[in-house]
Amino acid sequence: MAKLTKKLPTKRLPMLPAERALKVISGRWKAVILYHLFDGPRRLSVLKTLVPNITQKVLIQQLREMEEHGLIRREIFAEVPSRVEYSATRLGLSLEPILLALCEWGQHHADELNEVDRLADCIIRPRQAQQVHLGSRN
């Protein structure tokens, strides 16, 4: 997997790999936003609709942090009015099996505590069949 040549994150990340991973994906909404970007590029207004309980300010903040850490990219189209789309990078897409495992563990946890009736559906579709298509994505 090619390394990103973007600027270094402004905030230092932890040295312990597990702690680093948790720091990069931590935040109430990052996994949810990324989940919606697994299906393809989305505009800010669409993301806001898909995650209705998030404020616009927090949505933008979470998107900026994920862009800084190389999980998503922002593409600005030279149109009038200008159009901006967010999409998962290859690095962001590599989190899909991890989020699937977290979803399954969350379901197991709820089952163990007899709280399954309180869960929302967690649907993550593996992209293995689409790897060739994703080759052109960063």
Side-chain angles (χ1 to χ4, degrees), residues 3 8 14-15 38 40 47 65 68 70-71 73 78 83 95-98 105 109 112 116 121 124 129 137:
K3 291 184 179 179
L8 293 174
M15 296 295 287
F38 287 156
L47 287 170
E65 287 177 18
E68 181 180 339
L71 302 180
R73 78 180 164 100
R83 176 171 55 107
L95 282 167
E96 191 172 29
I98 295 164
W105 187 89
H109 182 263
E112 288 292 316
V116 174
D121 285 337
I124 297 181
R137 280 183 149 169

Side-chain angles (χ1 to χ4, degrees), residues 37-41 73 86-90 93 127 130 133-138:
L37 293 177
F38 287 156
D39 285 332
R73 78 180 164 100
Y86 296 89
S87 57
T89 62
R90 249 188 282 172
L93 289 168
R127 303 265 176 261
Q130 297 179 356
H133 179 270
L134 296 175
S136 62
R137 280 183 149 169
N138 280 358

Side-chain angles (χ1 to χ4, degrees), residues 25-36:
I25 64 171
S26 69
R28 181 172 178 195
W29 302 106
K30 286 182 185 175
V32 176
I33 295 165
L34 198 53
Y35 170 82
H36 290 297

Side-chain angles (χ1 to χ4, degrees), residues 20-72:
R20 179 186 185 99
L22 290 171
K23 179 76 172 174
V24 169
I25 64 171
S26 69
R28 181 172 178 195
W29 302 106
K30 286 182 185 175
V32 176
I33 295 165
L34 198 53
Y35 170 82
H36 290 297
L37 293 177
F38 287 156
D39 285 332
R42 306 272 190 188
R43 296 179 73 168
L44 184 69
S45 58
V46 173
L47 287 170
K48 178 67 179 100
T49 302
L50 293 170
V51 189
N53 294 329
I54 192 172
T55 65
Q56 180 115 352
K57 177 184 173 187
V58 171
L59 175 59
I60 291 169
Q61 177 186 6
Q62 298 278 274
L63 287 166
R64 284 183 182 155
E65 287 177 18
M66 288 192 294
E67 183 180 16
E68 181 180 339
H69 291 120
L71 302 180
I72 66 167

Side-chain angles (χ1 to χ4, degrees), residues 93-138:
L93 289 168
S94 72
L95 282 167
E96 191 172 29
I98 295 164
L99 292 181
L100 175 59
L102 284 172
C103 177
E104 290 170 351
W105 187 89
Q107 290 170 334
H108 171 70
H109 182 263
D111 187 42
E112 288 292 316
L113 299 177
N114 295 319
E115 296 180 346
V116 174
D117 58 318
R118 298 181 57 209
L119 290 183
D121 285 337
C122 184
I123 303 167
I124 297 181
R125 293 163 294 283
R127 303 265 176 261
Q128 294 164 351
Q130 297 179 356
Q131 289 301 325
V132 174
H133 179 270
L134 296 175
S136 62
R137 280 183 149 169
N138 280 358

